[in-house]
Amino acid sequence: MENDISEEIRKARRLAISLAKEVDFKNQKLWELERKCDETSATLERMVAEKNKLHQSYEKEMKKAQFIELQNRKLKHDFECETRKMQLIELENERLKQDLVPQRKELEQRIKKLEKEEAQNDLERRNLLVEKQKLKALTPLQSDCGVTIQIDDLKKKLVDKDDELNDMEALNQALILREHMSNHELQDARKELISVLPNLLDATTIRVKRMGEVHQKPFQDVCLQKFSLEEWEVRSVELSSLWQEKVNNPSWQPFMKAFKNGKWQEVINEDDSKLKELRSQWGEAVYSAVVDSLLEINEYNPSGRYAVSELWNFKQGRKASLKEAIQCIIQQLKNVKPLKRRR
């Protein structure tokens, strides 16, 4: 009987140990499940936060896109208004030019006619002197009468010539005034176009160029070769800014007179000490960039010595006409309209 009780006790202990192990195992599983649940919750919270952040970014980008779309519409509207304005100015200038052509021709013809008449008057004066000498040989009464008649006739002709000359002078002044007004309108239109062109045109042949501004790329290229990746960009900006200041300095005049293309012109003095040092230290490309800016500023703004904006034909490397710029704007506008239709 006692043995049976001991056996039952041992069985109970084994069962308790087994149950305790099973409880520990299940507690371990439960802990792992809780840890995974916490990780999943944290991941879910991060995903929700990222989703909210993405949603906010999306809304922000949508607002930005709507703002950009409104700005583009405004720019396109301004672009079309400026284009129409330029077309009207161009038509008016063409009309003024056409009006001036016949008036100029008429003025030239009248000037030629007046010159012929002046030559004829000179001839008549000489003939009058001859006649006067002949009349001196006649009796005093005959002489005085003949001279008086010829002098009166000549005075009348001279008065007529003076009146005609005054009329021609008035016409000439009117034509000069109209031409001056037309040129003034053209200059105003050119200034207005220069101010709005950067907002109207992309990378086209006709663009606005800053005349007298030192070109940056040669400085960047040479500094990229001479300095480390950390400092080349800063050094290129410092170097180009330094030479821009020298170009703008009115006290530096590296120019000389030379007879070129049949006339005296101001050219670069290659023996200038600063330019020689620049070429020796930084190379031909940097030297050419500074020389080009010097020549431009000496042509476009020699007194102020600061860069000025100009319409420029980058394909042909020359100053662009007002007509070329307007044609370029019209062409770009034509290219925009098919894009709208395709959209």
Side-chain angles (χ1 to χ4, degrees), residues 81-96:
C81 291
E82 292 297 332
T83 302
R84 287 194 292 270
K85 187 188 295 184
M86 292 300 105
Q87 289 174 333
L88 291 174
I89 292 173
E90 180 68 14
L91 289 173
E92 180 63 19
N93 288 334
E94 288 296 329
R95 187 185 65 79
L96 289 173

Side-chain angles (χ1 to χ4, degrees), residues 93 96 175-186:
N93 288 334
L96 289 173
L175 290 174
I176 291 173
L177 179 60
R178 291 194 65 177
E179 186 173 6
H180 177 73
M181 292 175 63
S182 177
N183 290 334
H184 185 68
E185 289 178 356
L186 286 172

Side-chain angles (χ1 to χ4, degrees), residues 50-102:
E50 289 179 0
K51 178 185 175 184
N52 292 334
K53 186 177 179 181
L54 287 173
H55 183 68
Q56 292 175 357
S57 299
Y58 171 76
E59 289 182 345
K60 186 177 179 181
E61 291 298 325
M62 285 296 296
K63 290 180 181 179
K64 188 186 293 185
Q66 290 172 355
F67 176 75
I68 292 173
E69 179 65 21
L70 290 173
Q71 289 294 107
N72 286 337
R73 289 178 182 176
K74 182 178 181 300
L75 285 173
K76 287 178 182 177
H77 180 265
D78 294 343
F79 171 78
E80 291 173 354
C81 291
E82 292 297 332
T83 302
R84 287 194 292 270
K85 187 188 295 184
M86 292 300 105
Q87 289 174 333
L88 291 174
I89 292 173
E90 180 68 14
L91 289 173
E92 180 63 19
N93 288 334
E94 288 296 329
R95 187 185 65 79
L96 289 173
K97 289 179 181 178
Q98 293 298 324
D99 291 343
L100 286 174
V101 169

Side-chain angles (χ1 to χ4, degrees), residues 4-200:
D4 292 337
I5 292 172
S6 298
E7 183 64 27
E8 288 296 328
I9 290 172
R10 284 194 294 272
K11 287 181 179 179
R13 284 178 178 174
R14 285 196 295 272
L15 180 59
I17 292 170
S18 176
L19 289 172
K21 289 181 178 179
E22 187 174 353
V23 169
D24 290 340
F25 177 75
K26 287 186 177 181
N27 285 335
Q28 180 69 24
K29 287 288 186 181
L30 181 61
W31 179 80
E32 290 179 357
L33 287 173
E34 288 177 348
R35 182 175 57 81
K36 288 183 179 179
C37 183
D38 292 339
E39 291 177 353
T40 303
S41 297
T43 303
L44 183 60
E45 288 177 358
R46 286 197 303 272
M47 291 178 66
V48 170
E50 289 179 0
K51 178 185 175 184
N52 292 334
K53 186 177 179 181
L54 287 173
H55 183 68
Q56 292 175 357
S57 299
Y58 171 76
E59 289 182 345
K60 186 177 179 181
E61 291 298 325
M62 285 296 296
K63 290 180 181 179
K64 188 186 293 185
Q66 290 172 355
F67 176 75
I68 292 173
E69 179 65 21
L70 290 173
Q71 289 294 107
N72 286 337
R73 289 178 182 176
K74 182 178 181 300
L75 285 173
K76 287 178 182 177
H77 180 265
D78 294 343
F79 171 78
E80 291 173 354
C81 291
E82 292 297 332
T83 302
R84 287 194 292 270
K85 187 188 295 184
M86 292 300 105
Q87 289 174 333
L88 291 174
I89 292 173
E90 180 68 14
L91 289 173
E92 180 63 19
N93 288 334
E94 288 296 329
R95 187 185 65 79
L96 289 173
K97 289 179 181 178
Q98 293 298 324
D99 291 343
L100 286 174
V101 169
Q103 295 179 12
R104 282 182 177 174
K105 289 182 178 179
E106 182 182 356
L107 179 61
E108 290 173 356
Q109 290 174 356
R110 297 188 70 175
I111 289 174
K112 289 179 180 178
K113 182 180 178 182
L114 183 60
E115 290 175 347
K116 289 181 180 179
E117 290 178 353
E118 286 180 348
Q120 182 66 29
N121 287 339
D122 290 337
L123 179 61
E124 290 177 357
R125 286 191 185 96
R126 289 194 293 270
N127 291 336
L128 180 60
L129 291 174
V130 173
E131 291 295 328
K132 192 173 182 180
Q133 294 296 329
K134 291 180 179 178
L135 288 171
K136 285 182 179 180
L138 301 175
T139 62
L141 182 60
Q142 292 174 323
S143 176
D144 292 341
C145 182
V147 170
T148 301
I149 293 172
Q150 290 193 10
I151 288 175
D152 291 340
D153 184 54
L154 184 58
K155 284 181 178 180
K156 184 180 178 181
K157 288 182 179 179
L158 287 174
V159 169
D160 293 338
K161 297 299 180 187
D162 286 338
D163 292 339
E164 188 174 351
L165 183 61
N166 290 333
D167 292 339
M168 292 182 68
E169 182 66 25
L171 176 61
N172 186 37
Q173 291 297 325
L175 290 174
I176 291 173
L177 179 60
R178 291 194 65 177
E179 186 173 6
H180 177 73
M181 292 175 63
S182 177
N183 290 334
H184 185 68
E185 289 178 356
L186 286 172
Q187 290 301 319
D188 288 343
R190 191 176 188 89
K191 290 178 182 177
E192 181 68 21
L193 190 57
I194 288 172
S195 66
V196 301
L197 195 65
N199 298 324
L200 300 181

